[in-house]
Amino acid sequence: MASRHPSQPSPGRHHQEQLQRRLGVLDSTAIGLGSMLGAGVFVVFAPAAALAGPLLAVAVAVAGVIAYCNAVASAQLAARYPSSGGTYVYGRIRLGEWPGFIAGWGFVTGKTASCAAMALTFGHYVAPEFATPLAVAAVVVLTGVNLLGITRTALLTRILLGVVLATLAFVAAAAVLGPHPGSEGAAIIGAGAGGWGVLPAAGLMFFAFAGYARIATLGEEVKDPARTIPRAILAALAAAFVIYLGLALLLQWHLPPQQLATSTAPLLDAVTSSRLSAGAPFVQAGAAAACLGALLALITGVGRTAMAMARERDLPSPLARVGGAHTVPFLAELTVAAAVIVLLLTTSVLTVVGFSSFGVLVYYSVTNAAAFTLPARPWHAPRWLNVLGFLGCLLLAVTLPPASVLGMAAVLAVGVAGRLLVLRWRLRKVGA
């Protein structure tokens, strides 16, 4: 079957409005880094430490290597196919409709759940007794920001990212100043933690790294995509890796192993256990800003992937409508917001992390497979890197906690079964 550029309308489809290219390297990098330094950095170290024990830094490094493979593959594909939808579009063009659908469905469902987790994290940090109402309010307000246009999204993301970076710098300073009871018991390995826990811990850490996908899903709104997208993705990933690895080492040095493994707010605990404990409210405010920044970027990315799937009729076609004074996919954005609000009433923060990680790892396995088929390759993107990324994604996915694997596998199966039924119905309609 002949391939077709995703930004061209399919034969027989109505002409669709195209999004406007407004984002440069700085804005694109800020959106990606803002996503990676979102709620994950404030919650993921504890469950990862519980699994990996003193090998937490190794888990971060493993996740970083797989993330680099995925980032290189994403950069190659996004520069060649600069259209909204990310790997959903790349998979359809390079591999076929089914791999593209699996990637898109895994991304939309997994990241919709992540939106709910981040909104709830925001609520718990600001006012735990009113966490759910605050989470719903955050989703409503940030969806409104997205509907005002992508340049406003990028501006707010830059502001929130600045607050988060200042917060993380303060946490690092608190950990350095000490005291450091964690260093005295660094060799202690909790029950079930250690070498065998590195891979599932890396799978959870991958949840925090996956924000660079947001740059690719915004490909239709990036100026000079062949130059901008690869630079933004690699710059955001490099910055996030340095920050995560540094925080992992500092937290293990500063906090006792058991406290780190069981904490629900490890960065806040790092400050309250230090000589800078009076700055705890600043960390709470920074965590809230991080959650808002990640939630803002996630709603944007999920909405545009849903729009791309609707363009190909893998989701209801009205979700592809682009309109309003700021040319945004308003129906897709509103639908995502509605789904997140429903999840806010039925889910918790921690249970969704593994679920989202599994969906995103499946998504990136398709990314690597699609990039492997590209004929023209830059020197820094050999095919063996795609093979490593593909196998690494599958390995981390299957070693996640069983509940996460089974839950997301069931969601993927429902999506596949639904698409099969729709395709069969369309064939019957054509033959009638």
Side-chain angles (χ1 to χ4, degrees), residues 97-111:
E97 293 184 0
W98 275 107
F101 173 80
I102 290 172
W105 183 247
F107 181 86
V108 168
T109 55
K111 289 302 184 180

Side-chain angles (χ1 to χ4, degrees), residues 6 39 54 62 90 92 114 150 177 187 190 201-202 208 220 229 239 251 253 263 285 288 307 319 325 336 383 417 422:
V62 171
Y90 316 147
R92 284 181 64 93
S114 293
I150 191 63
L177 289 175
E220 199 171 311
I229 292 174
L251 287 173
W253 183 44
S263 174
M307 177 190 71
L319 297 180
V336 170
R383 277 194 169 87
V422 170

